[in-house]
């Protein structure tokens, strides 16, 4: 038995959970946030691949089991201060034969699976791994053997917990993880991201796309269907319906969006790991008005690398990303831009042109992986030529309606 991940959390009882958030959110919303943060922490632990134990308060083992599933171990945290409870959790794990043990809280949603894997890896060489929190505590601590003094004579709840723990770790080899933010106050909650996905006959791709979206924290998914005749609607039964093309679908989705940040995502495009934090970090720079992911094609074929290189050059150097890279922005900036123009083609090109007049447009290095079905079905040279002719025609002032007639004369409405 090698890797044990212990998650400290509590059953989300309204009025007893995240009490410092209640004045700003209310009893029910604070409990719901606790629920979402715990589920996110468990999801990251599962991806990490460690055996997970939940140490809980305020609920029964049956309630925890019904909530989080059969594949986890559940233990009541028991009595004592936080140090007593953590020390007991580590002692029990080592007594049970686990070699590397990591303990984390549930209130640091930016602590994702990649960070957990680093923590376990570093325990192969260092005795202690610790992740400092911005409030002076820590969001994660890991050990490969018992060190009881790390949990003794610590002023729990104060802003010196991390420093006091480091002093207690004298003569112990330590690996320090990146500093992250706990969610203690309403202003600590990461801004919600509304992900708008337009669909039309996307049964083959939508499930995989949405699975990656669901890995994000504090996100809402808005799928707007444009008249699918396949099984698309069975994949996301709560989807909205809107005729009139992709521009109309995306604008309609925004009407229902609650997030301060927006991501427009094609149904056949898979987001990179940590996509939600990439978006938040990028848009934390007020000079940036629109961002996109780097471009990558899923299927291998001759000419793929050339297409990827040309697309990323255009996106990064000319500041002209397209919709299949995932376009993200603040909701307020989208409203100021007037939304997608209601035209049958080139709506993403036109929106980006508007945003370029408002501020910086950036392409992040992380890649969104999109389907290569266009090139596989019609050939690299033909698709590239058609795309360039559409751009040229649009630039010369040919109406989008006429361009759409020419474009769709060569492709069926099922294609991207």
């Amino acid at each position: 038995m090698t890797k044990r991940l212990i998650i400290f959390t509590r059953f989300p009882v309204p009025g007893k959970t995240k009490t410092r958030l209640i004045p700003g959110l209310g009893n029910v919303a604070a409990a719901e946030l606790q629920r979402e943060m715990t589920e996110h922490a468990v999801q990251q632990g599962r991806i990490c691949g460690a055996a997970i134990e939940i140490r809980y308060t305020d609920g029964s083992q049956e309630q925890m089991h019904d909530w989080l599933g059969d594949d986890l171990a559940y233990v009541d945290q028991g009595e004592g201060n936080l140090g007593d409870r953590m020390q007991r959790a580590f002692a029990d794990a080592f007594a049970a034969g686990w070699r590397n043990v990591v303990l984390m809280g549930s209130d640091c949603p930016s602590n994702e699976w990649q960070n957990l894997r680093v923590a376990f890896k570093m325990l192969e060489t260092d005795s202690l791994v610790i992740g400092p929190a911005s409030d002076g505590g820590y969001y994660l601590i890991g050990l490969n053997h018992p060190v009881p003094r790390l949990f003794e004579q610590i002023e729990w709840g104060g802003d010196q917990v991390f420093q006091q723990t480091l002093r207690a770790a004298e003569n112990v080899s330590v690996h320090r993880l990146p500093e992250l933010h706990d969610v203690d106050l309403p202003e600590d909650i990461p801004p919600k991201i509304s992900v708008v996905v337009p669909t039309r006959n996307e049964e083959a791709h939508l499930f995989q796309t949405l699975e990656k979206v669901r890995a994000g924290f504090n996100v809402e998914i808005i799928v707007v269907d444009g008249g699918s005749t396949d099984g698309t609607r069975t994949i996301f039964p709560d989807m909205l319906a809107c005729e009139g093309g992709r521009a109309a679908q995306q604008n309609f989705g925004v009407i229902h969006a609650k997030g301060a940040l927006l991501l427009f995502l094609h149904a056949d495009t898979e987001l990179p790991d940590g996509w939600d934090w990439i978006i938040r970090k990028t848009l934390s720079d007020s000079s940036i008005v629109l961002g996109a992911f780097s471009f990558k094609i899923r299927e291998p074929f001759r000419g793929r690398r050339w297409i990827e290189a040309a697309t990323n050059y255009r996106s990064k150097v000319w500041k002209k990303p397209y919709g299949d890279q995932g376009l993200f922005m603040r909701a307020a900036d989208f409203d100021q831009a007037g939304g997608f123009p209601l035209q049958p083609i080139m709506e993403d090109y036109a929106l980006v042109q508007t945003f370029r007049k408002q501020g910086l447009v950036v392409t992040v290095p992380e890649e969104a992986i999109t389907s290569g079905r266009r090139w596989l079905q019609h050939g690299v040279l033909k698709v590239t030529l058609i795309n360039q002719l559409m751009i040229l025609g649009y630039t010369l002032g040919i109406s989008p309606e006429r361009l759409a007639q020419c474009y769709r004369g060569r492709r069926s409405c099922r294609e991207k």
Side-chain angles (χ1 to χ4, degrees):
M1 298 188 296
T2 304
K3 298 189 297 183
R4 171 64 104 187
L5 175 64
I6 302 172
I7 300 175
F8 267 40
T9 190
R10 62 176 64 227
F11 190 77
V13 179
K16 297 182 66 175
T17 301
K18 303 304 291 182
T19 53
R20 281 191 283 181
L21 291 170
I22 290 175
L25 301 183
N27 291 345
V28 174
E32 186 57 34
L33 178 64
Q34 169 67 20
R35 176 182 295 274
E36 185 176 354
M37 288 194 296
T38 300
E39 292 172 356
H40 184 74
V42 170
Q43 180 186 47
Q44 301 310 305
R46 287 184 172 124
I47 297 172
C48 168
I52 301 173
E53 176 181 280
I54 303 294
R55 292 257 168 168
Y56 64 91
T57 62
D58 290 339
S60 67
Q61 188 168 99
E62 182 179 7
Q63 286 175 311
M64 298 299 296
H65 184 278
D66 290 344
W67 171 26
L68 296 175
D70 304 352
D71 59 328
L72 313 178
Y74 298 96
V75 180
D76 192 295
Q77 288 184 24
E79 301 297 324
N81 63 29
L82 180 59
D84 296 332
R85 287 176 277 141
M86 288 198 292
Q87 163 58 15
R88 185 161 53 242
F90 274 106
D92 290 348
F94 287 125
W98 294 100
R99 192 173 73 191
N100 296 326
V101 183
V102 169
L103 187 152
M104 60 179 277
S106 62
D107 55 355
C108 183
S110 56
N111 178 31
E112 299 206 308
W113 64 269
Q114 302 96 324
N115 204 41
L116 296 177
R117 284 189 178 175
V118 171
F120 280 111
K121 180 176 177 58
M122 297 315 301
L123 286 177
E124 298 293 336
T125 55
D126 294 303
S127 298
L128 167 66
V129 61
I130 189 166
S134 56
D135 61 3
Y138 54 80
Y139 60 86
L140 177 154
I141 185 168
L143 294 167
N144 58 20
H145 67 274
V147 188
R149 67 179 184 273
L150 297 179
F151 309 100
E152 300 169 353
Q153 299 181 349
I154 303 293
E155 298 173 19
W156 303 107
D159 60 3
Q160 295 297 309
V161 170
F162 176 70
Q163 293 300 329
Q164 291 171 355
T165 303
L166 286 185
R167 287 195 289 270
E170 186 178 3
N171 299 323
V172 174
S173 58
V174 179
H175 179 82
R176 179 171 172 170
L177 296 170
E179 181 178 295
L180 299 177
H181 296 278
D182 283 338
V183 175
D184 295 317
L185 300 170
E187 54 266 30
D188 298 329
I189 302 173
K192 181 184 288 292
I193 303 174
S194 297
V195 184
V196 179
V197 184
T199 60
R200 182 176 172 84
N201 295 332
E202 292 289 357
E203 180 182 9
H205 301 94
L206 183 60
F207 180 83
Q208 183 176 357
T209 294
L210 295 186
E211 281 297 286
K212 207 55 177 283
V213 175
R214 291 189 179 101
F217 175 75
N218 198 21
V219 303
E220 67 171 348
I221 302 173
I222 302 171
V223 180
V224 187
D225 190 63
S228 292
T229 57
D230 63 356
T232 297
R233 295 188 66 86
T234 65
I235 297 173
F236 194 82
D238 295 331
M239 67 176 55
L240 306 172
C242 176
E243 299 288 345
R246 181 177 284 162
Q249 290 172 254
Q250 292 177 128
N251 288 341
F252 187 69
V254 173
I255 294 174
H256 297 267
K258 300 181 180 69
L261 307 179
L262 301 173
L263 168 63
F264 296 99
L265 183 67
H266 288 188
D268 63 352
T269 298
E270 183 179 343
L271 294 168
D273 293 330
W275 65 269
D276 50 332
W277 301 106
I278 295 167
I279 289 175
R280 293 184 181 108
K281 181 179 180 181
T282 301
L283 294 178
S284 67
D285 183 340
S286 60
S287 66
I288 295 172
V289 294
L290 183 143
F293 297 99
S294 292
F295 179 79
K296 186 175 182 180
I297 299 171
R298 181 179 295 110
E299 299 87 353
F301 56 84
R302 182 175 295 180
R304 178 185 62 165
R305 297 305 183 195
W306 178 84
I307 295 169
E308 292 172 345
T311 300
N312 286 317
Y313 183 87
R314 181 204 68 225
S315 180
K316 295 176 181 180
V317 178
W318 293 352
K319 311 298 183 185
K320 293 182 178 181
Y322 289 174
D324 51 9
Q325 295 172 242
L327 301 177
F328 53 86
M329 65 214 69
R330 301 175 194 87
D333 291 336
F334 180 79
D335 291 341
Q336 182 180 346
F340 285 94
L342 293 177
Q343 55 192 54
I345 198 170
M346 304 290 288
E347 76 286 341
D348 52 352
Y349 183 92
L351 182 72
V352 171
Q353 291 290 83
T354 299
F355 268 88
R356 291 177 66 199
K357 300 173 184 176
Q358 296 179 356
L360 291 178
V361 172
V362 302
T363 300
V364 299
E366 293 82 3
E367 296 170 330
I369 304 174
T370 195
S371 169
R373 52 183 164 172
R374 292 177 291 174
W375 296 279
L376 288 169
Q377 291 174 3
H378 301 288
V380 171
L381 292 178
K382 183 176 180 179
V383 171
T384 301
L385 177 60
I386 292 173
N387 288 344
Q388 294 307 309
L389 288 174
M390 292 300 107
I391 295 172
L392 177 61
Y394 189 79
T395 303
L396 293 176
I398 299 175
S399 73
E401 290 73 20
R402 185 173 179 184
L403 289 174
Q405 290 176 354
C406 297
Y407 186 69
R408 288 167 183 153
R410 294 172 171 80
R411 295 167 54 191
S412 74
C413 64
R414 292 178 60 119
E415 296 167 13
K416 181 178 173 181

